[in-house]
Amino acid sequence: SALVTGAHQGTVLRNDGYDFARLGTYIERADNTARILDVKYYVLLPSVSLVGSSLDNVQWETILRAVSAYRSFRWLNEAAVGPRGIASFLMLDRRMPRSLAFCAAEVVHNLHMLAEGYGGAPSESLDAAQALLARLQGSDVDTILAGGLHEFLSEHLRLNAALANRIETEFQFIG
């Protein structure tokens, strides 16, 4: 995987093929990150009474490891692992390549590159991607948690899927 990624990043011409490959990567990555965070609330913790327990904290730490974010999180956050910090890191931190905000920013970037390559025409896909990014940039973890992590992630998954469908239609990937 690392060899293919390295070859792709280091040798592929930066044209529409590259941009479409990156779009797929970041749309799928955001989907996976959102789903693993959402599953944590519904599957991993056997009882609400265990929230904040050592089992809960180990599971949050496991999520970091599952998305290859443990070292980055610990480097940036010397404090103990906890749900608030991890959720914020994996949703809103634009420095983390697996976060929802990073993925959304990269989707916007690649759609900008495609717009330039196709004559600079504005696109519905780019508008939708910018709206998704703005939603993340306008959020903070406390508001998200107060309104419901599941609800926020469900809406993100819906918007992310709609964006993927819009790209598919706009760029005529369907027959």
Side-chain angles (χ1 to χ4, degrees):
S1 174
L3 182 62
V4 170
T5 300
H8 187 257
Q9 289 292 90
T11 62
V12 171
L13 182 65
R14 297 316 193 251
N15 61 9
D16 57 349
Y18 176 83
D19 290 317
F20 285 122
R22 302 308 294 161
L23 284 172
T25 296
Y26 290 113
I27 288 171
E28 181 180 11
R29 186 176 288 172
D31 183 84
N32 290 339
T33 298
R35 287 181 191 282
I36 198 166
L37 282 169
D38 197 31
V39 164
K40 163 63 178 105
Y41 262 42
Y42 286 98
V43 175
L44 294 178
L45 198 63
S47 167
V48 174
S49 66
L50 295 173
V51 170
S53 70
S54 59
L55 175 62
D56 187 35
N57 290 336
V58 166
Q59 289 172 347
W60 279 104
E61 185 176 307
T62 301
I63 287 173
L64 284 173
R65 291 182 190 281
V67 297
S68 302
Y70 181 78
R71 282 185 182 208
S72 299
F73 179 83
R74 293 303 290 215
W75 187 71
L76 291 171
N77 303 283
E78 295 180 18
V81 174
R84 183 185 175 283
I86 293 171
S88 178
F89 186 61
L90 292 179
M91 290 187 299
L92 305 175
D93 196 318
R94 288 192 54 187
R95 298 169 293 177
M96 177 56 201
R98 302 216 179 259
S99 78
L100 303 181
F102 184 95
C103 292
E106 289 299 310
V107 168
V108 167
H109 170 75
N110 287 110
L111 285 169
H112 271 295
M113 298 304 293
L114 285 167
E116 285 179 21
Y118 285 102
S123 74
E124 291 180 24
S125 299
L126 181 55
D127 292 344
Q130 289 171 326
L132 184 61
L133 179 58
R135 177 178 184 260
L136 290 162
Q137 290 174 331
S139 298
D140 68 85
V141 72
D142 293 325
T143 304
I144 291 169
L145 294 175
L149 181 60
H150 171 70
E151 290 74 16
F152 183 86
L153 293 171
S154 293
E155 181 64 7
H156 184 82
L157 288 165
R158 187 190 69 73
L159 293 170
N160 196 51
L163 174 58
N165 290 335
R166 186 165 285 158
I167 291 168
E168 177 183 23
T169 302
E170 189 170 320
F171 291 97
Q172 301 176 0
F173 286 115
I174 55 175

mmCIF file of all heavy atoms in Angstrom, residues 125-161:
data_model
loop_
_atom_site.group_PDB
_atom_site.id
_atom_site.type_symbol
_atom_site.label_atom_id
_atom_site.label_comp_id
_atom_site.label_asym_id
_atom_site.label_seq_id
_atom_site.Cartn_x
_atom_site.Cartn_y
_atom_site.Cartn_z
ATOM 1 N N SER A 125 -20.516 20.331 -7.836
ATOM 2 C CA SER A 125 -19.691 19.511 -6.946
ATOM 3 C C SER A 125 -18.809 20.383 -6.066
ATOM 4 O O SER A 125 -18.699 20.155 -4.860
ATOM 5 C CB SER A 125 -18.815 18.556 -7.753
ATOM 6 O OG SER A 125 -19.574 17.684 -8.513
ATOM 7 N N LEU A 126 -18.181 21.368 -6.671
ATOM 8 C CA LEU A 126 -17.311 22.262 -5.915
ATOM 9 C C LEU A 126 -18.120 23.046 -4.883
ATOM 10 O O LEU A 126 -17.696 23.184 -3.731
ATOM 11 C CB LEU A 126 -16.566 23.214 -6.855
ATOM 12 C CG LEU A 126 -15.595 24.194 -6.210
ATOM 13 C CD1 LEU A 126 -14.567 23.485 -5.339
ATOM 14 C CD2 LEU A 126 -14.906 25.021 -7.281
ATOM 15 N N ASP A 127 -19.292 23.518 -5.261
ATOM 16 C CA ASP A 127 -20.158 24.229 -4.303
ATOM 17 C C ASP A 127 -20.516 23.329 -3.121
ATOM 18 O O ASP A 127 -20.477 23.762 -1.968
ATOM 19 C CB ASP A 127 -21.433 24.722 -4.988
ATOM 20 C CG ASP A 127 -21.176 25.820 -6.010
ATOM 21 O OD1 ASP A 127 -20.087 26.423 -5.985
ATOM 22 O OD2 ASP A 127 -22.076 26.044 -6.854
ATOM 23 N N ALA A 128 -20.866 22.074 -3.412
ATOM 24 C CA ALA A 128 -21.242 21.135 -2.350
ATOM 25 C C ALA A 128 -20.046 20.825 -1.454
ATOM 26 O O ALA A 128 -20.179 20.746 -0.227
ATOM 27 C CB ALA A 128 -21.805 19.859 -2.959
ATOM 28 N N ALA A 129 -18.868 20.668 -2.053
ATOM 29 C CA ALA A 129 -17.662 20.385 -1.268
ATOM 30 C C ALA A 129 -17.302 21.572 -0.381
ATOM 31 O O ALA A 129 -16.921 21.398 0.779
ATOM 32 C CB ALA A 129 -16.506 20.038 -2.201
ATOM 33 N N GLN A 130 -17.430 22.780 -0.913
ATOM 34 C CA GLN A 130 -17.145 23.974 -0.116
ATOM 35 C C GLN A 130 -18.138 24.114 1.036
ATOM 36 O O GLN A 130 -17.759 24.513 2.147
ATOM 37 C CB GLN A 130 -17.147 25.218 -1.002
ATOM 38 C CG GLN A 130 -15.940 25.263 -1.921
ATOM 39 C CD GLN A 130 -16.013 26.369 -2.952
ATOM 40 O OE1 GLN A 130 -17.090 26.718 -3.435
ATOM 41 N NE2 GLN A 130 -14.857 26.904 -3.315
ATOM 42 N N ALA A 131 -19.386 23.766 0.798
ATOM 43 C CA ALA A 131 -20.392 23.811 1.869
ATOM 44 C C ALA A 131 -20.074 22.785 2.959
ATOM 45 O O ALA A 131 -20.218 23.074 4.154
ATOM 46 C CB ALA A 131 -21.786 23.576 1.296
ATOM 47 N N LEU A 132 -19.623 21.597 2.557
ATOM 48 C CA LEU A 132 -19.257 20.563 3.517
ATOM 49 C C LEU A 132 -18.060 21.020 4.355
ATOM 50 O O LEU A 132 -18.057 20.874 5.581
ATOM 51 C CB LEU A 132 -18.940 19.255 2.786
ATOM 52 C CG LEU A 132 -18.626 18.041 3.635
ATOM 53 C CD1 LEU A 132 -19.799 17.674 4.533
ATOM 54 C CD2 LEU A 132 -18.254 16.869 2.740
ATOM 55 N N LEU A 133 -17.071 21.603 3.699
ATOM 56 C CA LEU A 133 -15.903 22.124 4.411
ATOM 57 C C LEU A 133 -16.309 23.253 5.359
ATOM 58 O O LEU A 133 -15.871 23.291 6.514
ATOM 59 C CB LEU A 133 -14.835 22.592 3.422
ATOM 60 C CG LEU A 133 -13.569 23.194 4.025
ATOM 61 C CD1 LEU A 133 -12.879 22.211 4.966
ATOM 62 C CD2 LEU A 133 -12.624 23.638 2.919
ATOM 63 N N ALA A 134 -17.151 24.159 4.902
ATOM 64 C CA ALA A 134 -17.602 25.277 5.747
ATOM 65 C C ALA A 134 -18.349 24.757 6.972
ATOM 66 O O ALA A 134 -18.208 25.306 8.072
ATOM 67 C CB ALA A 134 -18.485 26.219 4.937
ATOM 68 N N ARG A 135 -19.135 23.707 6.797
ATOM 69 C CA ARG A 135 -19.867 23.109 7.925
ATOM 70 C C ARG A 135 -18.879 22.621 8.991
ATOM 71 O O ARG A 135 -19.094 22.812 10.188
ATOM 72 C CB ARG A 135 -20.723 21.956 7.428
ATOM 73 C CG ARG A 135 -21.472 21.213 8.516
ATOM 74 C CD ARG A 135 -22.334 20.104 7.903
ATOM 75 N NE ARG A 135 -23.123 19.449 8.913
ATOM 76 C CZ ARG A 135 -22.806 18.270 9.462
ATOM 77 N NH1 ARG A 135 -21.732 17.622 9.076
ATOM 78 N NH2 ARG A 135 -23.578 17.745 10.381
ATOM 79 N N LEU A 136 -17.793 21.991 8.545
ATOM 80 C CA LEU A 136 -16.794 21.495 9.486
ATOM 81 C C LEU A 136 -16.016 22.642 10.120
ATOM 82 O O LEU A 136 -15.772 22.648 11.330
ATOM 83 C CB LEU A 136 -15.839 20.530 8.780
ATOM 84 C CG LEU A 136 -16.470 19.196 8.394
ATOM 85 C CD1 LEU A 136 -15.639 18.494 7.334
ATOM 86 C CD2 LEU A 136 -16.670 18.320 9.614
ATOM 87 N N GLN A 137 -15.639 23.627 9.320
ATOM 88 C CA GLN A 137 -14.888 24.765 9.849
ATOM 89 C C GLN A 137 -15.722 25.595 10.814
ATOM 90 O O GLN A 137 -15.180 26.220 11.712
ATOM 91 C CB GLN A 137 -14.384 25.648 8.698
ATOM 92 C CG GLN A 137 -13.293 24.992 7.899
ATOM 93 C CD GLN A 137 -12.891 25.785 6.678
ATOM 94 O OE1 GLN A 137 -13.690 26.515 6.094
ATOM 95 N NE2 GLN A 137 -11.641 25.635 6.270
ATOM 96 N N GLY A 138 -17.024 25.589 10.638
ATOM 97 C CA GLY A 138 -17.909 26.355 11.506
ATOM 98 C C GLY A 138 -18.355 25.588 12.741
ATOM 99 O O GLY A 138 -19.187 26.072 13.495
ATOM 100 N N SER A 139 -17.797 24.411 12.949
ATOM 101 C CA SER A 139 -18.193 23.571 14.078
ATOM 102 C C SER A 139 -17.100 23.537 15.137
ATOM 103 O O SER A 139 -15.929 23.731 14.848
ATOM 104 C CB SER A 139 -18.444 22.133 13.607
ATOM 105 O OG SER A 139 -19.494 22.077 12.693
ATOM 106 N N ASP A 140 -17.522 23.278 16.364
ATOM 107 C CA ASP A 140 -16.565 22.986 17.430
ATOM 108 C C ASP A 140 -17.051 21.729 18.139
ATOM 109 O O ASP A 140 -18.242 21.396 18.107
ATOM 110 C CB ASP A 140 -16.390 24.168 18.391
ATOM 111 C CG ASP A 140 -17.633 24.432 19.204
ATOM 112 O OD1 ASP A 140 -17.805 23.781 20.256
ATOM 113 O OD2 ASP A 140 -18.443 25.279 18.777
ATOM 114 N N VAL A 141 -16.131 21.023 18.744
ATOM 115 C CA VAL A 141 -16.451 19.707 19.284
ATOM 116 C C VAL A 141 -17.505 19.769 20.385
ATOM 117 O O VAL A 141 -18.351 18.877 20.485
ATOM 118 C CB VAL A 141 -15.178 18.959 19.743
ATOM 119 C CG1 VAL A 141 -14.595 19.566 20.999
ATOM 120 C CG2 VAL A 141 -15.446 17.470 19.906
ATOM 121 N N ASP A 142 -17.504 20.811 21.197
ATOM 122 C CA ASP A 142 -18.490 20.890 22.280
ATOM 123 C C ASP A 142 -19.906 21.017 21.731
ATOM 124 O O ASP A 142 -20.830 20.369 22.228
ATOM 125 C CB ASP A 142 -18.159 22.061 23.208
ATOM 126 C CG ASP A 142 -16.865 21.823 23.972
ATOM 127 O OD1 ASP A 142 -16.586 20.654 24.324
ATOM 128 O OD2 ASP A 142 -16.122 22.798 24.205
ATOM 129 N N THR A 143 -20.065 21.828 20.693
ATOM 130 C CA THR A 143 -21.386 21.978 20.060
ATOM 131 C C THR A 143 -21.814 20.672 19.408
ATOM 132 O O THR A 143 -22.978 20.276 19.492
ATOM 133 C CB THR A 143 -21.349 23.124 19.024
ATOM 134 O OG1 THR A 143 -20.919 24.311 19.682
ATOM 135 C CG2 THR A 143 -22.711 23.338 18.402
ATOM 136 N N ILE A 144 -20.868 20.002 18.749
ATOM 137 C CA ILE A 144 -21.176 18.717 18.105
ATOM 138 C C ILE A 144 -21.626 17.704 19.139
ATOM 139 O O ILE A 144 -22.655 17.036 18.965
ATOM 140 C CB ILE A 144 -19.955 18.194 17.326
ATOM 141 C CG1 ILE A 144 -19.673 19.075 16.108
ATOM 142 C CG2 ILE A 144 -20.172 16.737 16.895
ATOM 143 C CD1 ILE A 144 -18.338 18.786 15.430
ATOM 144 N N LEU A 145 -20.873 17.586 20.230
ATOM 145 C CA LEU A 145 -21.222 16.600 21.258
ATOM 146 C C LEU A 145 -22.538 16.950 21.939
ATOM 147 O O LEU A 145 -23.333 16.050 22.243
ATOM 148 C CB LEU A 145 -20.085 16.478 22.277
ATOM 149 C CG LEU A 145 -18.776 15.890 21.733
ATOM 150 C CD1 LEU A 145 -17.687 15.925 22.813
ATOM 151 C CD2 LEU A 145 -18.964 14.487 21.191
ATOM 152 N N ALA A 146 -22.798 18.237 22.153
ATOM 153 C CA ALA A 146 -24.059 18.652 22.784
ATOM 154 C C ALA A 146 -25.243 18.342 21.876
ATOM 155 O O ALA A 146 -26.315 17.954 22.351
ATOM 156 C CB ALA A 146 -24.019 20.140 23.116
ATOM 157 N N GLY A 147 -25.063 18.491 20.571
ATOM 158 C CA GLY A 147 -26.137 18.216 19.620
ATOM 159 C C GLY A 147 -26.258 16.752 19.250
ATOM 160 O O GLY A 147 -27.234 16.348 18.614
ATOM 161 N N GLY A 148 -25.263 15.971 19.619
ATOM 162 C CA GLY A 148 -25.269 14.542 19.332
ATOM 163 C C GLY A 148 -24.233 14.178 18.283
ATOM 164 O O GLY A 148 -24.347 14.606 17.128
ATOM 165 N N LEU A 149 -23.234 13.431 18.708
ATOM 166 C CA LEU A 149 -22.186 12.992 17.784
ATOM 167 C C LEU A 149 -22.780 12.143 16.664
ATOM 168 O O LEU A 149 -22.442 12.327 15.489
ATOM 169 C CB LEU A 149 -21.105 12.214 18.537
ATOM 170 C CG LEU A 149 -19.932 11.713 17.697
ATOM 171 C CD1 LEU A 149 -19.195 12.871 17.038
ATOM 172 C CD2 LEU A 149 -18.983 10.889 18.563
ATOM 173 N N HIS A 150 -23.684 11.245 17.001
ATOM 174 C CA HIS A 150 -24.303 10.386 15.992
ATOM 175 C C HIS A 150 -25.031 11.222 14.941
ATOM 176 O O HIS A 150 -24.899 10.976 13.735
ATOM 177 C CB HIS A 150 -25.263 9.393 16.641
ATOM 178 C CG HIS A 150 -26.093 8.635 15.650
ATOM 179 N ND1 HIS A 150 -25.558 7.679 14.814
ATOM 180 C CD2 HIS A 150 -27.407 8.727 15.345
ATOM 181 C CE1 HIS A 150 -26.517 7.206 14.028
ATOM 182 N NE2 HIS A 150 -27.649 7.826 14.336
ATOM 183 N N GLU A 151 -25.774 12.217 15.390
ATOM 184 C CA GLU A 151 -26.533 13.053 14.455
ATOM 185 C C GLU A 151 -25.596 13.839 13.531
ATOM 186 O O GLU A 151 -25.829 13.934 12.324
ATOM 187 C CB GLU A 151 -27.450 14.005 15.221
ATOM 188 C CG GLU A 151 -28.610 13.317 15.926
ATOM 189 C CD GLU A 151 -28.211 12.534 17.177
ATOM 190 O OE1 GLU A 151 -27.094 12.723 17.714
ATOM 191 O OE2 GLU A 151 -29.022 11.697 17.613
ATOM 192 N N PHE A 152 -24.530 14.381 14.094
ATOM 193 C CA PHE A 152 -23.561 15.129 13.288
ATOM 194 C C PHE A 152 -22.906 14.217 12.257
ATOM 195 O O PHE A 152 -22.784 14.574 11.084
ATOM 196 C CB PHE A 152 -22.493 15.762 14.198
ATOM 197 C CG PHE A 152 -21.507 16.602 13.443
ATOM 198 C CD1 PHE A 152 -21.779 17.937 13.170
ATOM 199 C CD2 PHE A 152 -20.305 16.065 13.001
ATOM 200 C CE1 PHE A 152 -20.861 18.722 12.462
ATOM 201 C CE2 PHE A 152 -19.385 16.836 12.295
ATOM 202 C CZ PHE A 152 -19.672 18.169 12.029
ATOM 203 N N LEU A 153 -22.475 13.046 12.708
ATOM 204 C CA LEU A 153 -21.800 12.113 11.799
ATOM 205 C C LEU A 153 -22.750 11.563 10.745
ATOM 206 O O LEU A 153 -22.355 11.399 9.583
ATOM 207 C CB LEU A 153 -21.151 10.976 12.595
ATOM 208 C CG LEU A 153 -19.986 11.401 13.486
ATOM 209 C CD1 LEU A 153 -19.565 10.255 14.397
ATOM 210 C CD2 LEU A 153 -18.815 11.911 12.661
ATOM 211 N N SER A 154 -23.989 11.297 11.122
ATOM 212 C CA SER A 154 -24.973 10.817 10.142
ATOM 213 C C SER A 154 -25.190 11.846 9.044
ATOM 214 O O SER A 154 -25.256 11.510 7.860
ATOM 215 C CB SER A 154 -26.306 10.496 10.819
ATOM 216 O OG SER A 154 -26.164 9.402 11.675
ATOM 217 N N GLU A 155 -25.290 13.108 9.432
ATOM 218 C CA GLU A 155 -25.453 14.172 8.439
ATOM 219 C C GLU A 155 -24.196 14.303 7.581
ATOM 220 O O GLU A 155 -24.285 14.509 6.368
ATOM 221 C CB GLU A 155 -25.792 15.496 9.124
ATOM 222 C CG GLU A 155 -26.001 16.644 8.168
ATOM 223 C CD GLU A 155 -27.191 16.492 7.227
ATOM 224 O OE1 GLU A 155 -27.990 15.541 7.351
ATOM 225 O OE2 GLU A 155 -27.335 17.360 6.333
ATOM 226 N N HIS A 156 -23.045 14.168 8.191
ATOM 227 C CA HIS A 156 -21.807 14.232 7.408
ATOM 228 C C HIS A 156 -21.751 13.089 6.389
ATOM 229 O O HIS A 156 -21.390 13.310 5.230
ATOM 230 C CB HIS A 156 -20.575 14.180 8.308
ATOM 231 C CG HIS A 156 -19.307 14.352 7.534
ATOM 232 N ND1 HIS A 156 -18.826 15.586 7.176
ATOM 233 C CD2 HIS A 156 -18.466 13.441 6.998
ATOM 234 C CE1 HIS A 156 -17.728 15.428 6.455
ATOM 235 N NE2 HIS A 156 -17.487 14.141 6.342
ATOM 236 N N LEU A 157 -22.107 11.908 6.815
ATOM 237 C CA LEU A 157 -22.119 10.756 5.898
ATOM 238 C C LEU A 157 -23.093 10.986 4.750
ATOM 239 O O LEU A 157 -22.792 10.678 3.592
ATOM 240 C CB LEU A 157 -22.467 9.473 6.658
ATOM 241 C CG LEU A 157 -21.371 8.940 7.574
ATOM 242 C CD1 LEU A 157 -21.936 7.902 8.529
ATOM 243 C CD2 LEU A 157 -20.219 8.373 6.755
ATOM 244 N N ARG A 158 -24.249 11.557 5.054
ATOM 245 C CA ARG A 158 -25.239 11.842 4.012
ATOM 246 C C ARG A 158 -24.697 12.871 3.018
ATOM 247 O O ARG A 158 -24.782 12.685 1.802
ATOM 248 C CB ARG A 158 -26.542 12.342 4.638
ATOM 249 C CG ARG A 158 -27.690 12.502 3.637
ATOM 250 C CD ARG A 158 -28.884 13.236 4.237
ATOM 251 N NE ARG A 158 -28.628 14.632 4.514
ATOM 252 C CZ ARG A 158 -28.517 15.588 3.566
ATOM 253 N NH1 ARG A 158 -28.631 15.284 2.303
ATOM 254 N NH2 ARG A 158 -28.306 16.833 3.921
ATOM 255 N N LEU A 159 -24.122 13.944 3.527
ATOM 256 C CA LEU A 159 -23.580 14.996 2.660
ATOM 257 C C LEU A 159 -22.398 14.494 1.841
ATOM 258 O O LEU A 159 -22.245 14.844 0.672
ATOM 259 C CB LEU A 159 -23.172 16.211 3.496
ATOM 260 C CG LEU A 159 -24.300 16.979 4.167
ATOM 261 C CD1 LEU A 159 -23.750 18.002 5.152
ATOM 262 C CD2 LEU A 159 -25.205 17.627 3.129
ATOM 263 N N ASN A 160 -21.558 13.677 2.449
ATOM 264 C CA ASN A 160 -20.392 13.116 1.762
ATOM 265 C C ASN A 160 -20.838 12.196 0.620
ATOM 266 O O ASN A 160 -20.294 12.255 -0.490
ATOM 267 C CB ASN A 160 -19.519 12.367 2.772
ATOM 268 C CG ASN A 160 -18.129 12.089 2.269
ATOM 269 O OD1 ASN A 160 -17.437 12.985 1.803
ATOM 270 N ND2 ASN A 160 -17.706 10.841 2.388
ATOM 271 N N ALA A 161 -21.846 11.369 0.868
ATOM 272 C CA ALA A 161 -22.372 10.474 -0.175
ATOM 273 C C ALA A 161 -23.038 11.278 -1.289
ATOM 274 O O ALA A 161 -22.877 10.961 -2.481
ATOM 275 C CB ALA A 161 -23.354 9.474 0.424
#
